[in-house]
Amino acid sequence: MFGSKPKKSEITYIAKGTSVTGTMYFDGDTLVSGSLQGDIHADCGISIEPNGIIDGQLRCVELKVSGVFRGKVSCEKLIITESGTVEGEVFSTSMEIFEGGQFIGVRVKEQVNLLDEVPSLLKNATPTQKLSFETD
């Protein structure tokens, strides 16, 4: 999906109306149309859809924002589309902002102090232990 890393077969989809809070780990590409809040680590790419929101600390390979991201992010590539908004502190090797996209914050030269490694308990947890969520 995102091309920076070898593709994995798993895609996680957080649907509109779904809200997840806590510490999260995704080992495949992730599409967010709902809401994520907390500390997030992803081994691949995350795409925030137009209705999606992420609020917290995020470490991923590639972040594509068509919705809203608030917080601190560390990634190789950040893409803000024409409907996307990023508010906060960003560390990225490359950054692309399409006309209409908004970046409100600061881009830092040094790595943002975030989750460097996924806690082993989280990485080895069963799927039901990894996430707890609510739907509207």
Side-chain angles (χ1 to χ4, degrees), residues 5-6 10 17 19 25 38 44 58 60 62-63 73 78 100 104 108-109 112 114 120 127 132:
K5 256 190 146 176
E10 302 89 18
S19 178
Y25 169 74
C44 290
L58 171 63
C60 62
E62 182 175 303
L63 176 61
V73 62
L78 172 63
I104 305 161
V108 296
K109 289 183 179 183
V112 179
L114 297 178
S120 61
S132 61

Side-chain angles (χ1 to χ4, degrees), residues 38-131:
D39 295 330
I40 304 157
H41 182 100
D43 286 343
C44 290
I46 291 188
S47 179
I48 304 173
E49 300 297 304
N51 294 316
I53 298 172
I54 293 181
D55 192 351
Q57 298 186 69
L58 171 63
R59 179 177 298 280
C60 62
V61 175
E62 182 175 303
L63 176 61
K64 181 178 179 184
V65 182
S66 297
V68 176
F69 175 84
R70 290 186 208 107
K72 293 182 178 184
V73 62
S74 177
C75 60
E76 290 177 20
K77 184 173 185 179
L78 172 63
I79 301 166
I80 304 172
T81 68
E82 63 278 347
S83 62
T85 301
V86 172
E87 298 178 25
E89 193 172 331
V90 172
F91 171 81
S92 64
T93 306
S94 68
M95 184 170 168
E96 184 176 359
I97 304 173
F98 287 82
E99 184 174 345
Q102 297 182 43
F103 175 59
I104 305 161
V106 61
R107 184 173 180 197
V108 296
K109 289 183 179 183
E110 295 182 18
Q111 190 82 6
V112 179
N113 186 17
L114 297 178
L115 300 171
D116 287 328
E117 291 187 24
V118 178
S120 61
L121 288 175
L122 184 58
K123 214 171 195 182
N124 298 324
T126 64
T128 55
Q129 291 173 316
K130 287 184 181 180
L131 297 175

